Amino acid sequence: MSRGLTPLLWAKAHATPSYAPPPFVVSHGEGCRLFDLDGNRYLDFASGIGVTAVGHAHPRVVAAISEQASKVCHTSGMLLHEGYASVCRRITEISFADRVFLGNSGAEAVEAAMKLARRYFFDRGEARTGFVATHNSFHGRTYGAISLTGQPKYQTGLAPLLPDVSHVPYGDLEAMKGAAGATTAAVIVEPIQGNAGVRLAPDGYLAGLRDICDAAGCLLIFDEVQTGIGRTGKWFAYEHEGVAPDVMTLAKGLGGGLPLGAMATTEQLGQTFQVGVHASTFGGNPVACAAGLATLDVIRDDDLLANATRMGALLVESVQALDHPSIREVRGRGLMIGIELDRPAGPLKAACLERGLLTNLAGEKVLRLLPPLIIGELEADEAVSVIQASLAAM
Ligand SMILES: *Cc1c(COP(=O)(O)O)cnc(C)c1O
């Protein structure tokens, strides 16, 4: 009998039925591998949806977590600990930003960005409260974030949403020009749409958004919750186009598996968050910050940005070379990759899992690969072999 049966039954009976029945119950992980309670081994190309950037149980992350946990686990914003200051400083060293607010998740980072934008214009006496986002975007599940999210399926039955939000097609600069105006506080865009199916914007899109926001006098927010922290082969995806936003949201890879999110911005905008304007009891938790710092260290010291670029190119080329008639497109940047089929991708995901490769879906027809940034050629080759066999079996 499977050792996973009891937790599955208990979850079925006692947890809200929020998640689809899982394919297995996790025992532990090591590097790019996950193990279930029966000892089966999986190659993890999902990374908990792009979170475990340096793999599972990385020795440097584990050491940082346990050392911090043995000292102090929580302070709240009432007190300062070294990790909070260090994470803020590190983010400013590797990005356009000068000021950082730490939270626990992507949605919280988005909420912080929304509050910052409205409050900034309020303080200046400018009547700017609107947001413009894009169709098919994903910004999280809290009320502000689902109001920005451009996918009606996440909004069903939850109205009324936040007013003053409009949506335009992703990649369409003309439409954005028409929507961003005198009452707009901010435009928010993912540099690459992740949840929508790894959708890349046309060249020049981010630069065009910068010009539009400057002309309209509103802020530009890049939601880098998924694309940030090395996922696309640079620390942040905006670097590919050489344009900086006014505000950037981060989470997923930042904490190396622990809950850590950030809203990063410029000196001038950062002054908006004066004492009392925004706060989070758990935000920038000492253990999460220790894990985040260790993760950032490993990415830098092991040259994982270059590795993500190289392995990503290898994966895209190898899957393209399979030249399978059901594959419509293989696309991505670094290790954020989408394989779009001419049919629902669920059966391909299931076939991969049967062969020990864990992936996830993004949109009905797209198999999304978000492996840890530490994968080598052996793991890439193994994944491509599994995908090839799974396509044949589909
Ligand atoms: C995952 C994601 C979020 C939400 O992050 P949570 O930590 O789940 O709240 C927001 N924006 C983007 C682009 C994401 O991919």
Side-chain angles (χ1 to χ4, degrees):
M1 204 175 74
S2 167
R3 289 183 56 205
L5 205 57
T6 304
L8 282 171
L9 288 173
W10 286 6
K12 200 167 177 220
H14 305 297
T16 61
S18 307
Y19 299 101
F24 60 88
V25 179
V26 175
S27 155
H28 63 285
E30 191 186 324
C32 307
R33 307 283 167 177
L34 269 177
F35 297 82
D36 68 18
L37 289 175
D38 299 317
N40 298 307
R41 196 173 88 129
Y42 304 86
L43 180 58
D44 183 5
F45 267 42
S47 304
I49 318 188
V51 167
T52 47
V54 298
H56 299 285
H58 191 289
R60 289 180 68 180
V61 178
V62 172
I65 290 172
S66 50
E67 195 194 331
Q68 184 58 51
S70 72
K71 288 181 179 164
V72 65
C73 282
H74 178 76
T75 63
S76 88
M78 244 176 69
L79 300 169
L80 180 64
H81 62 91
E82 278 182 72
Y84 195 104
S86 301
V87 170
C88 294
R89 178 162 189 248
R90 278 293 278 283
I91 291 172
T92 64
E93 282 170 354
I94 57 176
S95 75
F96 74 95
D98 313 302
R99 296 274 168 187
V100 180
F101 178 87
L102 298 180
N104 305 286
S105 69
E108 278 181 68
V110 169
E111 297 288 336
M114 297 177 81
K115 285 179 69 175
L116 181 99
R118 280 195 174 166
R119 183 63 195 245
Y120 172 72
F121 288 115
F122 172 86
D123 289 345
R124 289 162 57 104
E126 281 189 56
R128 289 179 178 271
T129 53
F131 293 99
V132 187
T134 57
H135 293 161
N136 298 313
S137 60
F138 183 80
H139 298 292
R141 301 286 204 142
T142 52
Y143 256 97
I146 53 165
S147 301
L148 297 180
T149 292
Q151 301 187 60
K153 69 175 175 185
Y154 294 116
Q155 303 169 335
T156 305
L158 300 175
L161 300 177
L162 200 69
D164 249 0
V165 178
S166 58
H167 293 90
V168 297
Y170 187 71
D172 185 340
L173 288 172
E174 279 309 307
M176 187 60 83
K177 207 177 281 178
T183 59
T184 304
V187 164
I188 180 165
V189 168
E190 296 158 87
I192 298 172
Q193 286 190 331
N195 175 288
V198 189
R199 305 211 173 264
L200 283 84
D203 283 344
Y205 183 58
L206 302 185
L209 291 175
R210 180 73 272 174
D211 291 342
I212 288 168
C213 291
D214 289 346
C218 68
L219 306 185
L220 176 59
I221 303 170
F222 286 158
D223 183 347
E224 294 242 19
V225 167
Q226 192 165 147
T227 52
I229 314 297
R231 176 59 50 195
T232 71
K234 294 196 183 282
W235 280 113
F236 308 105
Y238 71 78
E239 296 174 58
H240 291 288
E241 277 205 19
V243 272
D246 300 298
V247 181
M248 164 172 79
T249 54
L250 298 172
K252 294 203 164 90
L254 179 61
L258 266 70
L260 185 62
M263 188 281 305
T265 187
T266 61
E267 177 62 36
Q268 187 195 7
L269 287 163
Q271 293 304 328
T272 306
F273 276 4
Q274 292 293 321
V275 175
V277 175
H278 192 51
S280 165
T281 300
F282 289 108
N285 168 274
V287 182
C289 285
L293 277 175
T295 300
L296 295 170
D297 283 347
V298 171
I299 294 173
R300 179 194 59 203
D301 296 346
D302 295 356
D303 213 3
L304 295 183
L305 302 182
N307 190 60
T309 304
R310 231 165 350 106
M311 291 303 130
L314 175 66
L315 278 167
V316 168
E317 280 162 26
S318 305
V319 177
Q320 276 168 345
L322 297 178
D323 204 20
H324 193 277
S326 300
I327 297 182
R328 277 185 27 193
E329 193 183 20
V330 187
R331 56 178 178 257
R333 211 159 222 174
L335 287 172
M336 182 168 177
I337 296 166
I339 303 170
E340 180 164 346
L341 304 184
D342 61 2
R343 64 192 70 190
L348 177 59
K349 178 186 146 185
C352 286
L353 188 76
E354 254 174 54
R355 291 164 180 76
L357 176 67
L358 183 65
T359 61
N360 69 26
L361 298 181
E364 198 203 354
K365 295 178 178 173
V366 179
L367 190 77
R368 178 172 49 174
L369 308 181
L370 298 169
L373 310 182
I374 57 170
I375 60 162
E377 274 178 43
L378 282 178
E379 285 87 12
D381 289 346
E382 182 182 336
V384 174
S385 299
V386 169
I387 290 167
Q388 181 173 29
S390 304
L391 282 163
M394 208 170 61

